[in-house]
Amino acid sequence: MAEQSPPDQTPPSSDIQSLSINSQPSSSSSSSSTPQLSVEERFRIIRSVGEECIQEDELLNLLTHKPEPICYDGFEPSGRMHIAQGVVKAINVNKLTSAGCKVKIWVADWFAQLNNKMGGDLKKIKIVGQYLIEIWKAVGMDLNGKVEFLWSSDEINSRASEYWPLVMDIARRNKLPRIMRCCQIMGRSEQDELSAAQILYPCMQCADIFFLKADICQLGMDQRKVNVLAREYCDDIKRKNKPIILSHHMLPGLQQGQEKMSKSDPSSSIFMEDEEAEVNVKIKKAYCPPKIVEGNPCLEYIKYIIFPWFHEFRVERSAENGGDKNFKNFEELVSDYESGELHPADLKPALSRALNKILQPVRNHFNNDAKAKDLLKRVKSYRVTK
């Protein structure tokens, strides 16, 4: 009998040991669709998605060896979609696919149930998931064959013999305090009264990365700890190629001191199907102190939504207030704002106009498409639970 590895070094499935960067591209590979982009150009585009990248040299190596890397992003269907989840995700996904990536978007219905979203009602959670997909289609996410929506319940059930041994292996290799430190990914803290689901959830989310054969984890900074856990797991199982973590910036809420938008506080965020008047009122009431850039949510919206979308920011104002001006980059806008040349009373209406221009196709879709209209009506009737 051949000598066997010690039990602790044996991963549950040989599939996750495969050297991802050496995989051959599929027939739909981007190598033919993006021949004009060099590896360096693809790296620059992909890297621009993340506030943080772990590690940049690994990303460059991946792009050198694999024409069509797999990026994974996931979301809990947990209520109405705010603009950070809707527009920023569309911007990021379009960047990734333009650079030759295939994007797997994990519709984490079982995770939402574990996290007691929609009161743990899976039927409601699935309705919310359908509504979210409708929004991304309407806002302009480029669904060009390189974006795949995968429902966690369906995928896990269809490959249960692969998934659950992986979850169990991750669980047995980690001490409880290490898993508990990941509860931030569920929007909770270690001081909260936690259920056993808060132990199962991080182990499952860590397993998702390998289950989906992801080369790049493209989630928010709030998901960083579980993505690092996945890299640590690679050390445990002696896997050479670790998933690259590309964590995007988290947009703050509209009120002072709100670190992130909240679905349970409508004043903290703009929802994707908000009417024009609602957007105008929310921006008018938003925290936007004159001459202060740090911690200013209106400027964050302009930096992370308006400039990536329009590549400019147009302010319309009276001649005595400086006249109309087109800002071509964020640095130029910051200079005017800090000096007082650009006042909140002129910036806010300009921001509202730009946001409404982005959101209008979404409104049109939910007003004119019967299926979308019904989904929105049902989602609005659900009570958001935490």
Side-chain angles (χ1 to χ4, degrees), residues 243-261:
I244 295 155
I245 305 172
L246 195 64
S247 304
H248 63 252
H249 179 74
M250 302 291 292
L251 276 182
L254 289 171
Q255 306 306 312
Q256 184 176 6
Q258 292 179 328
E259 291 186 2
K260 59 185 289 189
M261 296 181 188

PDB file of all heavy atoms in Angstrom, residues 243-261:
ATOM      1  N   PRO A 243      -6.445  32.254  -2.833  1.00  0.00           N
ATOM      2  CA  PRO A 243      -7.360  33.232  -3.438  1.00  0.00           C
ATOM      3  C   PRO A 243      -6.867  34.650  -3.162  1.00  0.00           C
ATOM      4  O   PRO A 243      -6.449  34.971  -2.053  1.00  0.00           O
ATOM      5  CB  PRO A 243      -8.694  32.952  -2.743  1.00  0.00           C
ATOM      6  CG  PRO A 243      -8.326  32.269  -1.461  1.00  0.00           C
ATOM      7  CD  PRO A 243      -7.094  31.479  -1.753  1.00  0.00           C
ATOM      8  N   ILE A 244      -6.907  35.473  -4.179  1.00  0.00           N
ATOM      9  CA  ILE A 244      -6.504  36.873  -4.056  1.00  0.00           C
ATOM     10  C   ILE A 244      -7.680  37.660  -3.512  1.00  0.00           C
ATOM     11  O   ILE A 244      -8.822  37.483  -3.950  1.00  0.00           O
ATOM     12  CB  ILE A 244      -6.049  37.420  -5.428  1.00  0.00           C
ATOM     13  CG1 ILE A 244      -4.786  36.683  -5.877  1.00  0.00           C
ATOM     14  CG2 ILE A 244      -5.824  38.924  -5.382  1.00  0.00           C
ATOM     15  CD1 ILE A 244      -4.588  36.666  -7.376  1.00  0.00           C
ATOM     16  N   ILE A 245      -7.419  38.514  -2.543  1.00  0.00           N
ATOM     17  CA  ILE A 245      -8.477  39.303  -1.922  1.00  0.00           C
ATOM     18  C   ILE A 245      -8.467  40.705  -2.513  1.00  0.00           C
ATOM     19  O   ILE A 245      -7.466  41.420  -2.424  1.00  0.00           O
ATOM     20  CB  ILE A 245      -8.297  39.381  -0.394  1.00  0.00           C
ATOM     21  CG1 ILE A 245      -8.213  37.977   0.219  1.00  0.00           C
ATOM     22  CG2 ILE A 245      -9.430  40.180   0.248  1.00  0.00           C
ATOM     23  CD1 ILE A 245      -7.845  37.976   1.694  1.00  0.00           C
ATOM     24  N   LEU A 246      -9.565  41.076  -3.124  1.00  0.00           N
ATOM     25  CA  LEU A 246      -9.721  42.407  -3.709  1.00  0.00           C
ATOM     26  C   LEU A 246     -10.934  43.050  -3.035  1.00  0.00           C
ATOM     27  O   LEU A 246     -12.078  42.802  -3.423  1.00  0.00           O
ATOM     28  CB  LEU A 246      -9.921  42.280  -5.222  1.00  0.00           C
ATOM     29  CG  LEU A 246      -9.763  43.532  -6.079  1.00  0.00           C
ATOM     30  CD1 LEU A 246      -8.338  44.068  -6.016  1.00  0.00           C
ATOM     31  CD2 LEU A 246     -10.141  43.227  -7.524  1.00  0.00           C
ATOM     32  N   SER A 247     -10.674  43.845  -2.002  1.00  0.00           N
ATOM     33  CA  SER A 247     -11.755  44.369  -1.157  1.00  0.00           C
ATOM     34  C   SER A 247     -12.112  45.791  -1.564  1.00  0.00           C
ATOM     35  O   SER A 247     -11.258  46.681  -1.551  1.00  0.00           O
ATOM     36  CB  SER A 247     -11.333  44.364   0.314  1.00  0.00           C
ATOM     37  OG  SER A 247     -10.937  43.070   0.724  1.00  0.00           O
ATOM     38  N   HIS A 248     -13.394  45.992  -1.925  1.00  0.00           N
ATOM     39  CA  HIS A 248     -13.784  47.327  -2.352  1.00  0.00           C
ATOM     40  C   HIS A 248     -14.170  48.208  -1.161  1.00  0.00           C
ATOM     41  O   HIS A 248     -14.494  47.726  -0.072  1.00  0.00           O
ATOM     42  CB  HIS A 248     -14.922  47.287  -3.384  1.00  0.00           C
ATOM     43  CG  HIS A 248     -16.208  46.705  -2.872  1.00  0.00           C
ATOM     44  ND1 HIS A 248     -16.667  45.473  -3.268  1.00  0.00           N
ATOM     45  CD2 HIS A 248     -17.142  47.193  -2.015  1.00  0.00           C
ATOM     46  CE1 HIS A 248     -17.820  45.224  -2.673  1.00  0.00           C
ATOM     47  NE2 HIS A 248     -18.131  46.245  -1.910  1.00  0.00           N
ATOM     48  N   HIS A 249     -14.125  49.504  -1.403  1.00  0.00           N
ATOM     49  CA  HIS A 249     -14.438  50.520  -0.401  1.00  0.00           C
ATOM     50  C   HIS A 249     -15.905  50.429   0.006  1.00  0.00           C
ATOM     51  O   HIS A 249     -16.772  50.143  -0.817  1.00  0.00           O
ATOM     52  CB  HIS A 249     -14.147  51.902  -1.000  1.00  0.00           C
ATOM     53  CG  HIS A 249     -14.456  53.046  -0.086  1.00  0.00           C
ATOM     54  ND1 HIS A 249     -13.671  53.367   1.002  1.00  0.00           N
ATOM     55  CD2 HIS A 249     -15.463  53.967  -0.101  1.00  0.00           C
ATOM     56  CE1 HIS A 249     -14.181  54.424   1.608  1.00  0.00           C
ATOM     57  NE2 HIS A 249     -15.272  54.806   0.968  1.00  0.00           N
ATOM     58  N   MET A 250     -16.177  50.692   1.275  1.00  0.00           N
ATOM     59  CA  MET A 250     -17.549  50.690   1.782  1.00  0.00           C
ATOM     60  C   MET A 250     -18.052  52.130   1.851  1.00  0.00           C
ATOM     61  O   MET A 250     -17.490  52.962   2.566  1.00  0.00           O
ATOM     62  CB  MET A 250     -17.601  50.062   3.178  1.00  0.00           C
ATOM     63  CG  MET A 250     -17.068  48.643   3.235  1.00  0.00           C
ATOM     64  SD  MET A 250     -18.123  47.470   2.368  1.00  0.00           S
ATOM     65  CE  MET A 250     -19.564  47.480   3.426  1.00  0.00           C
ATOM     66  N   LEU A 251     -19.112  52.427   1.101  1.00  0.00           N
ATOM     67  CA  LEU A 251     -19.668  53.774   1.132  1.00  0.00           C
ATOM     68  C   LEU A 251     -20.372  54.034   2.465  1.00  0.00           C
ATOM     69  O   LEU A 251     -21.095  53.175   2.966  1.00  0.00           O
ATOM     70  CB  LEU A 251     -20.675  53.964  -0.002  1.00  0.00           C
ATOM     71  CG  LEU A 251     -20.121  54.349  -1.380  1.00  0.00           C
ATOM     72  CD1 LEU A 251     -21.283  54.542  -2.346  1.00  0.00           C
ATOM     73  CD2 LEU A 251     -19.282  55.597  -1.322  1.00  0.00           C
ATOM     74  N   PRO A 252     -20.181  55.227   3.039  1.00  0.00           N
ATOM     75  CA  PRO A 252     -20.833  55.527   4.319  1.00  0.00           C
ATOM     76  C   PRO A 252     -22.300  55.867   4.137  1.00  0.00           C
ATOM     77  O   PRO A 252     -22.779  56.094   3.021  1.00  0.00           O
ATOM     78  CB  PRO A 252     -20.056  56.763   4.792  1.00  0.00           C
ATOM     79  CG  PRO A 252     -19.656  57.457   3.525  1.00  0.00           C
ATOM     80  CD  PRO A 252     -19.362  56.344   2.539  1.00  0.00           C
ATOM     81  N   GLY A 253     -23.025  55.927   5.257  1.00  0.00           N
ATOM     82  CA  GLY A 253     -24.389  56.421   5.236  1.00  0.00           C
ATOM     83  C   GLY A 253     -24.401  57.927   5.020  1.00  0.00           C
ATOM     84  O   GLY A 253     -23.366  58.593   5.139  1.00  0.00           O
ATOM     85  N   LEU A 254     -25.560  58.473   4.729  1.00  0.00           N
ATOM     86  CA  LEU A 254     -25.662  59.891   4.381  1.00  0.00           C
ATOM     87  C   LEU A 254     -25.618  60.829   5.593  1.00  0.00           C
ATOM     88  O   LEU A 254     -25.376  62.021   5.435  1.00  0.00           O
ATOM     89  CB  LEU A 254     -26.964  60.147   3.611  1.00  0.00           C
ATOM     90  CG  LEU A 254     -27.014  59.582   2.187  1.00  0.00           C
ATOM     91  CD1 LEU A 254     -28.418  59.712   1.611  1.00  0.00           C
ATOM     92  CD2 LEU A 254     -26.003  60.291   1.290  1.00  0.00           C
ATOM     93  N   GLN A 255     -25.865  60.280   6.775  1.00  0.00           N
ATOM     94  CA  GLN A 255     -25.860  61.118   7.974  1.00  0.00           C
ATOM     95  C   GLN A 255     -24.488  61.091   8.649  1.00  0.00           C
ATOM     96  O   GLN A 255     -23.690  60.185   8.436  1.00  0.00           O
ATOM     97  CB  GLN A 255     -26.942  60.650   8.950  1.00  0.00           C
ATOM     98  CG  GLN A 255     -28.334  60.576   8.345  1.00  0.00           C
ATOM     99  CD  GLN A 255     -28.777  61.869   7.700  1.00  0.00           C
ATOM    100  OE1 GLN A 255     -28.649  62.937   8.291  1.00  0.00           O
ATOM    101  NE2 GLN A 255     -29.291  61.796   6.477  1.00  0.00           N
ATOM    102  N   GLN A 256     -24.214  62.083   9.445  1.00  0.00           N
ATOM    103  CA  GLN A 256     -22.911  62.197  10.090  1.00  0.00           C
ATOM    104  C   GLN A 256     -22.606  60.980  10.960  1.00  0.00           C
ATOM    105  O   GLN A 256     -23.436  60.521  11.734  1.00  0.00           O
ATOM    106  CB  GLN A 256     -22.861  63.458  10.955  1.00  0.00           C
ATOM    107  CG  GLN A 256     -21.498  63.719  11.593  1.00  0.00           C
ATOM    108  CD  GLN A 256     -21.461  65.032  12.362  1.00  0.00           C
ATOM    109  OE1 GLN A 256     -22.489  65.703  12.513  1.00  0.00           O
ATOM    110  NE2 GLN A 256     -20.296  65.420  12.838  1.00  0.00           N
ATOM    111  N   GLY A 257     -21.396  60.443  10.777  1.00  0.00           N
ATOM    112  CA  GLY A 257     -20.917  59.343  11.615  1.00  0.00           C
ATOM    113  C   GLY A 257     -21.397  57.960  11.234  1.00  0.00           C
ATOM    114  O   GLY A 257     -21.081  56.992  11.922  1.00  0.00           O
ATOM    115  N   GLN A 258     -22.153  57.839  10.141  1.00  0.00           N
ATOM    116  CA  GLN A 258     -22.622  56.517   9.711  1.00  0.00           C
ATOM    117  C   GLN A 258     -21.570  55.862   8.831  1.00  0.00           C
ATOM    118  O   GLN A 258     -21.338  56.292   7.698  1.00  0.00           O
ATOM    119  CB  GLN A 258     -23.951  56.635   8.953  1.00  0.00           C
ATOM    120  CG  GLN A 258     -25.118  57.067   9.817  1.00  0.00           C
ATOM    121  CD  GLN A 258     -26.418  57.192   9.029  1.00  0.00           C
ATOM    122  OE1 GLN A 258     -26.424  57.531   7.854  1.00  0.00           O
ATOM    123  NE2 GLN A 258     -27.539  56.925   9.685  1.00  0.00           N
ATOM    124  N   GLU A 259     -20.934  54.828   9.351  1.00  0.00           N
ATOM    125  CA  GLU A 259     -19.832  54.189   8.639  1.00  0.00           C
ATOM    126  C   GLU A 259     -20.289  53.471   7.379  1.00  0.00           C
ATOM    127  O   GLU A 259     -19.540  53.324   6.419  1.00  0.00           O
ATOM    128  CB  GLU A 259     -19.085  53.212   9.553  1.00  0.00           C
ATOM    129  CG  GLU A 259     -18.298  53.908  10.654  1.00  0.00           C
ATOM    130  CD  GLU A 259     -17.454  52.935  11.442  1.00  0.00           C
ATOM    131  OE1 GLU A 259     -17.446  51.724  11.103  1.00  0.00           O
ATOM    132  OE2 GLU A 259     -16.802  53.367  12.409  1.00  0.00           O
ATOM    133  N   LYS A 260     -21.510  52.975   7.376  1.00  0.00           N
ATOM    134  CA  LYS A 260     -22.027  52.300   6.190  1.00  0.00           C
ATOM    135  C   LYS A 260     -23.529  52.522   6.080  1.00  0.00           C
ATOM    136  O   LYS A 260     -24.192  52.897   7.043  1.00  0.00           O
ATOM    137  CB  LYS A 260     -21.701  50.797   6.214  1.00  0.00           C
ATOM    138  CG  LYS A 260     -22.244  50.042   7.403  1.00  0.00           C
ATOM    139  CD  LYS A 260     -21.783  48.597   7.413  1.00  0.00           C
ATOM    140  CE  LYS A 260     -22.427  47.769   6.339  1.00  0.00           C
ATOM    141  NZ  LYS A 260     -22.154  46.334   6.449  1.00  0.00           N
ATOM    142  N   MET A 261     -24.051  52.300   4.881  1.00  0.00           N
ATOM    143  CA  MET A 261     -25.481  52.441   4.661  1.00  0.00           C
ATOM    144  C   MET A 261     -26.236  51.335   5.385  1.00  0.00           C
ATOM    145  O   MET A 261     -25.712  50.242   5.578  1.00  0.00           O
ATOM    146  CB  MET A 261     -25.782  52.360   3.158  1.00  0.00           C
ATOM    147  CG  MET A 261     -25.181  53.488   2.367  1.00  0.00           C
ATOM    148  SD  MET A 261     -25.615  53.333   0.630  1.00  0.00           S
ATOM    149  CE  MET A 261     -24.593  54.638  -0.050  1.00  0.00           C
TER     150      MET A 261
END
